[in-house]
Amino acid sequence: MNEIETMFGALRQAADEDVVDMLERMVRDAPDHGLNRMNPLDLAARANLAGERVIAGLLHAVSLGMLEMTWSVMCPSCAGVLSANKSLKTLNSAQYNCGFCAAGYETTLDDLVEVTFTVSPRLRKIAAHSPDELSLADYYRQVFWSSAIDLPDDLEKTLREVTLDAVDLPPGERAILSLNVPQGTLIVFDPVTHAAQFLDVRGEEAGERQNLSVTFNKVPVPVDTIALRPGPLRLTLENRTDGRVLPAVWVGSPALDDVLTRRKPFLTARRLLTNQTFRDLYRTDTLAIGQRLKILSLTFLFSDLKDSTALYDRVGDLVAFDLVNEHFRLLQEIIASERGAIVKTIGDAVMATFETPDRAIAAAIRMREAMSDLGADREHQSLRLKMGIHEGSCLAVTLNGQQDYFGQTVNVASRVQGLAASRSIVVTESVVENAETRALLEANGLDPTHRTVALSGIADKVSVYEIP
């Protein structure tokens, strides 16, 4: 048995068989670009598989050295990759700027950071493993644009339509382009350094040749606009980096706009951080000590067993221990199935995160029923969960050696859980106002009861809703 067969054999022990079969077929038959920066949600849709199963399978493949994981900061406007990182630990900038769009974005994990997977050279060598050898069209497809953009199969043809001229410029070299620039908006752009120069071409035809110089280096410079007149232009391009650059002169057109607006779902860093398989594999190696990354919206669920101390007194330590362990197993199974993850347990309490409020509500309803069934099955009817849910912004941090969360949203969620009585689920207004949450509650015939409460350590009173 060779190394590749051994790796796939190990993967079959950890991941869903259908996902392993899909990956094995891809490694054998897919074109090179199909194995570079793979979008797990797109793969799942194409193979008619559950997204979480595909994500879990790819994560296990990473742990076995079969795939490489990339965390890319992407521009939400053009979907270009602004920074590609092997881990979250190197995302250390508070803001990233896109030269192509002349815009800056605060670094958040919600929709700005995508996670993709690339085949390891151990499994198969692909062109993207040597990006300096890619053609201009392939560089845009495989390096510059993220997996969030649905690129056409004939991308090279589309780029030819919007490109006035382009050059592959080695390090330290200079190129001179003689162009006849049309009226409109043009952009001199290099996808390697992300340097951009906008040209506003308008007015009467120039009687003499115009001159413009653009230098590419690793020092980011503000993007500005230069006014030119239609007609002849001598464009000097100089590469002062230690690698090649791929500058091109693009003409704004509907064809370019069409490429930039074609989008598809992608795996965000926020969603991956709420994936149970990811937390199980990488709970101690996600963020650097002292690193803080902002999440604009994350949903927290806190649960605790009601009167667990009395349970130990009533049934004895051994039986109670087995019950509590079974309770943790059921909760983790339900939370993971609703695309959530357990962050930590404290005694009999659980802290979990979900990408959206409706997933947390769905999990809470199932968890409540599961505890009732467990109590009835084991003849301990008092096995009840108290649960609280809140949604809001937070910081992803490392605490006590593992990836955790910090902020007022976490504090409120914890205190809301303390308001819950036996079997009740207490949620905040931001959770109930979510459209998917409202639809879920209506479908289950649940009518939350509103009240306003004061929470310890929270200055203003908080609107909460109790789900019976």
Side-chain angles (χ1 to χ4, degrees):
M1 182 179 291
N2 60 33
E3 183 186 17
I4 293 177
E5 291 173 335
T6 300
M7 287 190 289
F8 273 110
L11 184 59
R12 290 186 187 281
Q13 300 300 313
D16 184 275
E17 186 173 356
D18 289 341
V19 176
V20 180
D21 288 343
M22 175 193 70
L23 184 58
E24 196 166 22
R25 287 193 301 271
M26 291 181 65
V27 170
R28 184 181 63 246
D29 302 328
D32 277 11
H33 67 79
L35 293 169
N36 180 52
R37 291 193 180 176
M38 293 180 282
N39 177 334
L41 303 188
D42 190 45
L43 292 181
R46 291 173 181 269
N48 197 27
L49 296 172
E52 296 307 295
R53 292 164 61 194
V54 173
I55 294 169
L58 298 185
L59 288 171
H60 282 295
V62 171
S63 70
L64 292 169
M66 302 169 70
L67 301 179
E68 298 169 350
M69 187 161 49
T70 303
W71 305 72
S72 299
V73 181
M74 53 170 276
C75 172
S77 179
C78 71
V81 172
L82 308 180
S83 173
N85 306 268
K86 293 301 181 184
S87 77
L88 275 179
K89 292 181 178 180
T90 52
L91 264 71
N92 49 21
S93 176
Q95 178 171 305
Y96 286 85
N97 297 297
C98 178
F100 189 82
C101 298
Y105 305 96
E106 180 186 18
T107 305
T108 66
L109 300 183
D110 301 72
D111 298 310
L112 201 68
V113 180
E114 67 155 5
V115 185
T116 55
F117 301 83
T118 298
V119 69
S120 167
R122 294 174 62 189
L123 275 187
R124 176 173 152 185
K125 187 78 168 69
I126 60 173
H129 291 147
S130 303
D132 286 345
E133 299 175 9
L134 293 173
S135 68
L136 178 63
D138 278 337
Y139 192 93
Y140 272 103
R141 178 184 291 279
Q142 299 194 54
V143 179
F144 177 72
W145 270 314
S146 71
S147 72
I149 192 163
D150 189 10
L151 295 172
D153 293 335
D154 59 347
L155 177 63
E156 190 169 3
K157 175 177 178 292
T158 303
L159 291 180
R160 283 199 303 268
E161 292 177 5
V162 302
T163 302
L164 200 59
D165 205 347
V167 62
D168 188 327
L169 197 57
E173 296 292 318
R174 175 186 296 181
I176 299 175
L177 306 181
S178 294
L179 308 171
N180 192 50
V181 292
Q183 187 158 274
T185 299
L186 280 67
I187 177 174
V188 181
F189 181 70
D190 168 46
V192 180
T193 62
H194 292 204
Q197 175 66 68
F198 283 88
L199 309 178
D200 183 21
V201 184
R202 64 185 65 250
E204 295 183 2
E205 184 91 8
E208 298 180 352
R209 185 180 64 189
Q210 304 165 99
N211 294 281
L212 176 65
S213 295
V214 178
T215 300
F216 303 98
N217 53 49
K218 290 188 175 181
V219 180
V221 296
V223 179
D224 63 356
T225 301
I226 292 178
L228 293 175
R229 292 162 63 187
L233 171 67
R234 184 177 188 265
L235 177 61
T236 302
L237 304 172
E238 184 175 359
N239 180 7
R240 293 183 182 174
T241 74
D242 55 4
R244 73 161 181 171
V245 295
L246 298 168
V249 184
W250 287 24
V251 180
S253 72
L256 179 58
D257 292 339
D258 178 64
V259 169
L260 299 181
T261 54
R262 294 163 57 110
R263 300 301 169 90
K264 55 187 175 183
F266 63 96
L267 177 60
T268 65
R270 178 182 68 173
R271 176 166 175 178
L272 189 58
L273 291 182
T274 65
N275 178 277
Q276 190 64 56
T277 302
F278 175 79
R279 288 201 64 91
D280 291 343
L281 293 174
Y282 300 99
R283 68 172 65 245
T284 61
D285 191 35
T286 302
L287 302 175
I289 301 297
Q291 187 180 17
R292 299 171 296 174
L293 293 173
K294 188 173 184 180
I295 299 176
L296 297 178
S297 174
L298 195 65
T299 302
F300 291 87
L301 181 152
F302 280 82
S303 74
D304 197 9
L305 276 175
K306 178 177 173 59
D307 298 330
S308 59
T309 302
L311 176 67
Y312 279 81
D313 285 338
R314 188 171 66 254
V315 303
D317 289 348
L318 185 59
V319 174
F321 180 79
D322 288 341
L323 277 170
V324 170
N325 271 355
E326 181 64 7
H327 136 270
F328 279 133
R329 187 193 68 79
L330 288 170
L331 263 54
Q332 176 165 323
E333 181 180 283
I334 293 170
I335 289 168
S337 70
E338 293 293 345
R339 284 176 29 190
I342 293 179
V343 178
K344 58 187 173 185
T345 60
I346 308 168
D348 300 328
V350 166
M351 172 185 173
T353 56
F354 296 83
E355 186 183 16
T356 55
D358 60 303
R359 293 285 182 174
I361 291 289
I365 294 171
R366 291 177 57 192
M367 288 159 61
R368 180 165 64 181
E369 295 308 313
M371 289 305 98
S372 293
D373 293 343
L374 178 61
D377 182 58
R378 302 292 180 88
E379 299 181 356
H380 301 291
Q381 298 289 345
S382 61
L383 206 58
R384 298 288 185 265
L385 275 184
K386 301 190 301 177
M387 288 178 280
I389 301 173
H390 180 48
E391 175 272 338
S393 63
C394 64
L395 295 175
V397 299
T398 293
L399 290 174
N400 300 318
Q402 68 176 10
Q403 193 261 309
D404 206 334
Y405 300 93
F406 178 83
Q408 193 73 316
T409 297
V410 183
N411 297 333
V412 170
S414 175
R415 285 161 175 73
V416 165
Q417 184 273 325
L419 301 173
S422 175
R423 277 188 57 83
S424 70
I425 304 167
V426 178
V427 305
T428 57
E429 191 167 38
S430 62
V431 174
V432 169
E433 287 181 345
N434 177 270
E436 288 77 13
T437 295
R438 290 198 301 270
L440 180 65
L441 292 175
E442 289 176 7
N444 284 272
L446 298 172
D447 185 17
T449 303
H450 173 259
R451 56 184 166 129
T452 303
V453 299
L455 299 177
S456 175
I458 310 298
D460 298 326
K461 287 191 173 182
V462 176
S463 289
V464 299
Y465 294 79
E466 184 168 348
I467 300 174

